[in-house]
Amino acid sequence: MALANKLLLSQITGHIILLILSFCIWIPLRINLHEFCDHCLLFTTGKWREEDGMFDVNWASDGFCNFSFLTGIALSCISILQIIRFWVMKYADAEPSFLSLFIDVVLGIFMLAISILSAIFITLGFIVWCDGMTERFPSCETSAGQNVIRGDTEKIDTSNFYMEMGTAQFGAWVSFATSVGLAVIALLKLINNHQVRNIKVSMYLERQRLVNQGQSDGRSTPPLASGASSDSDNNK
């Protein structure tokens, strides 16, 4: 199997994995936002009240959750489009253009960037929330399901936040690792395509040189043969 086919199959496999991982990002985040009444848990802080033992929460910006949520959606859309595109290329046995390979590299870098940012937001934001929870509970996990938010008139459901954020965190970090692999594969395909094109150009130029040299030798040979024949006749 040629190197190009191996790289193409690797890209298809990578995007299938990335599609599954993207679901692990945006689905838990969407559920968590719904359960927290559209409040973002990430980077949320607060203080425990001594009077009633409730958590006086200061909600963080929704942008942290929204960015990670949109990252998962973007990874899903890109992966679906790339899977379809690569399958069509495989069965059509079409050779990708330099522009399409360059776009693959740009997409790989883009996915890498947004996935690492989302992973950092989810990880650090969840740590900040858990730091507040562990001031009262022995672990962040044991605080799940406890009605601890002061003035909770929206009936916030905290029972599943630990599993949801853990799943989103896992999906974001593994998506980053997968995006790195896809970016490297896309770059290798671009380099391989460039090398093949250079070889073809070199072979074409060498062939033209040999053809021109042969034509030049063909034009110079007859006069020599004619001159030699004349000398032979004179000797006779």
Side-chain angles (χ1 to χ4, degrees):
M1 184 181 293
L3 176 62
N5 288 334
K6 291 182 180 179
L7 294 177
L8 183 60
L9 289 176
S10 299
Q11 284 180 304
I12 294 173
T13 304
H15 278 289
I16 292 174
I17 295 173
L18 189 61
L19 177 62
I20 297 172
L21 292 171
S22 66
F23 293 152
C24 295
I25 300 175
W26 67 266
I27 291 178
L29 287 175
R30 180 64 262 178
I31 295 174
N32 183 260
L33 284 171
H34 175 72
E35 292 177 347
F36 273 65
C37 301
D38 292 330
H39 293 298
C40 184
L41 176 150
L42 302 178
F43 294 101
T44 293
T45 59
K47 294 182 179 180
W48 292 98
R49 291 166 53 89
E50 296 182 0
E51 296 83 0
D52 52 11
M54 301 297 287
F55 190 63
D56 193 4
V57 63
N58 295 318
W59 295 110
S61 171
D62 295 340
F64 298 111
C65 291
N66 291 335
F67 177 83
S68 300
F69 172 77
L70 292 176
T71 294
I73 295 294
L75 292 178
S76 296
C77 295
I78 293 174
S79 295
I80 291 173
L81 292 176
Q82 290 290 74
I83 290 169
I84 295 173
R85 175 169 162 263
F86 290 145
W87 271 115
V88 171
M89 289 176 57
K90 176 175 171 55
Y91 283 103
D93 198 19
E95 183 177 352
S97 64
F98 183 85
L99 178 61
S100 66
L101 294 175
F102 180 76
I103 292 175
D104 288 340
V105 174
V106 173
L107 283 176
I109 296 174
F110 172 73
M111 293 187 299
L112 186 155
I114 61 175
S115 59
I116 185 61
L117 285 176
S118 295
I120 292 173
F121 285 161
I122 295 173
T123 300
L124 297 182
F126 193 37
I127 289 175
V128 171
W129 168 265
C130 284
D131 285 343
M133 293 296 103
T134 52
E135 290 180 5
R136 176 179 174 183
F137 297 95
S139 67
C140 189
E141 185 176 4
T142 56
S143 66
Q146 304 295 328
N147 184 19
V148 296
I149 298 177
R150 178 176 177 269
D152 181 15
T153 59
E154 300 171 304
K155 304 300 181 182
I156 292 176
D157 183 8
T158 63
S159 57
N160 299 313
F161 79 83
Y162 191 84
M163 181 183 65
E164 291 161 356
M165 286 299 162
T167 303
Q169 185 176 347
F170 167 80
W173 281 111
V174 183
S175 293
F176 165 68
T178 306
S179 298
V180 171
L182 289 171
V184 171
I185 293 173
L187 184 60
L188 288 175
K189 288 184 67 175
L190 182 65
I191 294 173
N192 181 64
N193 179 270
H194 182 67
Q195 291 176 342
V196 170
R197 287 178 181 271
N198 286 341
I199 292 173
K200 289 181 178 180
V201 170
S202 299
M203 291 176 63
Y204 173 78
L205 293 176
E206 181 65 18
R207 185 168 61 250
Q208 288 296 109
R209 187 186 68 82
L210 292 175
V211 169
N212 293 335
Q213 183 179 358
Q215 291 176 349
S216 177
D217 293 342
R219 286 194 300 268
S220 60
T221 300
L224 292 175
S226 176
S229 177
S230 298
D231 292 341
S232 176
D233 292 340
N234 291 333
N235 291 333
K236 290 179 180 180

